[in-house]
């Protein structure tokens, strides 16, 4: 029998319930007209909207979603909104975003975990982010709530 890695960032692309998301899967393309700028790249409004819809679709339809290093500055609101409605997601990897996920973003995630009465999320990876004392308080409060079923939390 094959040993499984304990690394939460490993993903098997062959499992249809698991989504390791490449930037191209999110529909990211770059165009100078009608655009938003992120990290010296340009993204049209249409691409921006499609990418956000794709993120939401993944969270609402997959059991495992790995968005390691793939979110833009304001995508966490889409993630939290979808997480608040998800009935299938069991593993979510949001690690590796550095400054993008801080206390305010963690509050959105914690609120989603508390509000979703059908939440099945068991594992959440938030490591390599900028979560401070207030963010950890928000997570602690969410963990105590009866709707939150998390068993593993990586910080």
């Amino acid at each position: 029998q094959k040993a499984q890695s304990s690394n939460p960032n490993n993903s098997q692309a062959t499992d249809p319930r698991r989504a390791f998301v490449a930037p191209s899967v999110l529909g990211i393309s770059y165009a100078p007209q009608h655009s938003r700028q992120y990290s010296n790249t340009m993204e049209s409004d249409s691409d921006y909207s499609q990418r956000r819809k794709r993120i939401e679709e993944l969270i609402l339809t997959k059991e495992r979603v790995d968005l390691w290093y793939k979110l833009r500055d304001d995508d966490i609101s889409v993630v939290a909104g979808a997480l608040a409605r998800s009935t299938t997601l069991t593993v979510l990897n949001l690690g590796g975003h550095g400054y993008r996920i801080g206390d305010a973003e963690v509050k959105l995630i914690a609120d989603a975990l508390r509000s979703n009465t059908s939440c099945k999320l068991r594992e959440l990876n938030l490591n390599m982010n900028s979560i401070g004392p207030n963010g950890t308080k928000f997570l602690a409060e969410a963990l105590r709530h009866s709707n939150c079923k998390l068993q593993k939390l990586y910080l």
Side-chain angles (χ1 to χ4, degrees):
Q1 189 175 15
K2 205 178 206 181
Q4 290 185 340
S5 170
S6 62
N7 183 347
N9 302 322
N10 286 348
S11 178
Q12 296 174 359
T14 57
D15 188 341
R17 297 165 300 173
R18 180 179 280 182
F20 183 84
V21 185
S24 60
V25 171
L26 295 178
I28 297 173
S29 63
Y30 306 101
Q33 65 275 33
H34 308 294
S35 59
R36 302 179 192 282
Q37 184 166 355
Y38 299 98
S39 306
N40 299 322
T41 59
M42 303 297 271
E43 181 177 34
S44 74
D45 287 339
S46 174
D47 293 338
Y48 172 80
S49 177
Q50 288 174 351
R51 180 178 46 74
R52 290 171 64 97
K53 285 180 186 175
R54 181 67 179 138
I55 290 170
E56 182 178 50
E57 176 188 325
L58 289 168
I59 291 173
L60 291 174
T61 62
K62 301 292 182 183
E63 287 182 14
R64 297 173 173 262
V65 175
D66 185 351
L67 294 171
W68 180 262
Y69 281 107
K70 294 174 184 73
L71 294 180
R72 305 292 181 145
D73 290 340
D74 57 348
D75 287 342
I76 201 67
S77 62
V78 174
V79 170
L83 186 57
R85 299 186 328 268
S86 174
T87 59
T88 58
L89 190 67
T90 60
V91 177
L92 179 60
N93 184 356
L94 299 174
H97 290 287
Y99 69 91
R100 286 193 173 101
I101 299 179
D103 292 347
E105 292 78 15
V106 167
K107 183 173 184 344
L108 294 173
I109 294 168
D111 289 346
L113 292 172
R114 283 195 310 267
S115 68
N116 186 343
T117 58
S118 300
C119 187
K120 293 187 175 145
L121 191 67
R122 301 292 183 264
E123 185 174 321
L124 176 61
N125 181 359
L126 293 169
N127 72 0
M128 294 179 63
N129 283 293
S130 298
I131 301 168
N134 288 333
T136 56
K137 280 184 199 175
F138 299 140
L139 288 169
E141 290 168 8
L143 289 170
R144 285 191 290 269
H145 197 280
S146 62
N147 289 342
C148 184
K149 308 289 191 272
L150 273 182
Q151 296 170 352
K152 294 181 183 179
L153 175 63
Y154 300 94
L155 294 176

